[in-house]
Amino acid sequence: MTVSDVPVSDVPVSDVPVSDAPVPDAAVLDVIVPARAPWSAIIRAGQELTITDLGGNQAVDCLLYDANDTAVRYSAPDTIHAQGGIFLTTGSVLLSNEHTPLMTVVGDTCGRHDTVGGACSKESNTLRYGHHTYSQHACVENFLIEGSRHGLGKRDLVSNINWFMNVPVEADGTLGIVDGISAPGLAVTLRAETDVLVLVSNCPQINNPCNGFDPTPVRMTVR
């Protein structure tokens, strides 16, 4: 499957305008993704995508696919094994299931990002927080909605990256979802090593601290 013939300007993005802040120099795309919303774009080889946490403490779930062949997609095991650690920061290379580089983290003012916490879903919400949460919108639904615009379905969902999310590992190996270490204006910048389709869920979770119990918008800037 290929989406390489779709220019960045034709990929559906948020209709919400950017703030009054000036558009960064050489930006080809600059949008605000509303709280709880999905987003996608094709980032061309050599371009850089900056994700800015506008309100602070906002998790941004992310999936990456080779835009020329979406069967080649982000692999958490390959990435973790290659860098010898589970957290992402400047210098981390995001590898595919074919062990090829998709994107590289070239800038990071937050300092650490999660690779193992996964994406929230109606099912996981019900298991963790009770049946009353089943109707709440979640990241899996965002991925399915946005992915469908590019011919992707549930079988194409893999373990995702959680930008700005704080998931420490305890001494006994258990994971915790705790207050974030991000703050308003902190950002991570990714350089595309090939044409990459980026899917994002601006996490709608309100039952744990990953969004400070109050989801907020984020900014996507492509240079």
Side-chain angles (χ1 to χ4, degrees):
M1 182 183 299
T2 177
V3 289
S4 61
D5 56 341
V6 182
V8 170
S9 59
D10 290 345
V11 176
V13 296
S14 167
D15 291 330
V16 177
V18 298
S19 66
D20 293 333
V23 176
D25 292 342
V28 297
L29 185 67
D30 189 41
V31 298
I32 300 295
V33 181
R36 303 179 174 89
W39 176 86
S40 64
I42 295 172
I43 313 303
R44 300 299 182 187
Q47 290 183 332
E48 293 183 355
L49 167 66
T50 297
I51 306 172
T52 304
D53 185 1
L54 297 176
N57 202 14
Q58 173 61 40
V60 180
D61 292 42
C62 181
L63 288 171
L64 309 175
Y65 302 83
D66 187 321
N68 298 299
D69 180 4
T70 55
V72 180
R73 66 277 305 266
Y74 169 74
S75 170
D78 285 80
T79 300
I80 292 168
H81 179 266
Q83 71 171 10
I86 63 172
F87 300 115
L88 302 176
T89 189
T90 304
S92 296
V93 180
L94 310 178
L95 296 177
S96 76
N97 54 332
E98 295 191 353
H99 213 73
T100 54
L102 295 173
M103 305 188 89
T104 300
V105 181
V106 295
D108 179 21
T109 55
C110 178
R112 192 178 75 185
H113 307 267
D114 170 61
T115 60
V116 296
C120 60
S121 66
K122 290 183 177 182
E123 291 78 11
S124 65
N125 281 345
T126 299
L127 180 64
R128 291 172 176 170
Y129 310 114
H131 287 280
H132 67 284
T133 66
Y134 182 77
S135 62
Q136 293 177 1
H137 195 63
C139 285
V140 167
E141 286 70 46
N142 273 343
F143 282 144
L144 291 174
I145 290 168
E146 197 66 22
S148 68
R149 299 180 177 182
H150 306 279
L152 301 174
K154 199 164 189 177
R155 291 185 177 182
D156 298 298
L157 301 187
V158 295
S159 297
N160 59 285
I161 300 161
N162 291 308
W163 302 113
F164 308 112
M165 188 170 169
N166 189 16
V167 184
V169 181
E170 306 298 339
D172 62 359
T174 59
L175 303 178
I177 299 175
V178 299
D179 286 339
I181 59 175
S182 185
L186 297 188
V188 59
T189 298
L190 316 170
R191 182 184 65 227
E193 306 300 346
T194 186
D195 292 349
V196 177
L197 169 62
V198 179
L199 292 188
V200 158
S201 169
N202 193 18
C203 184
Q205 182 61 255
I206 58 173
N207 301 290
N208 69 47
C210 72
N211 302 321
F213 301 100
D214 182 23
T216 52
V218 294
R219 187 174 191 170
M220 300 290 181
T221 308
V222 180
R223 296 177 180 84

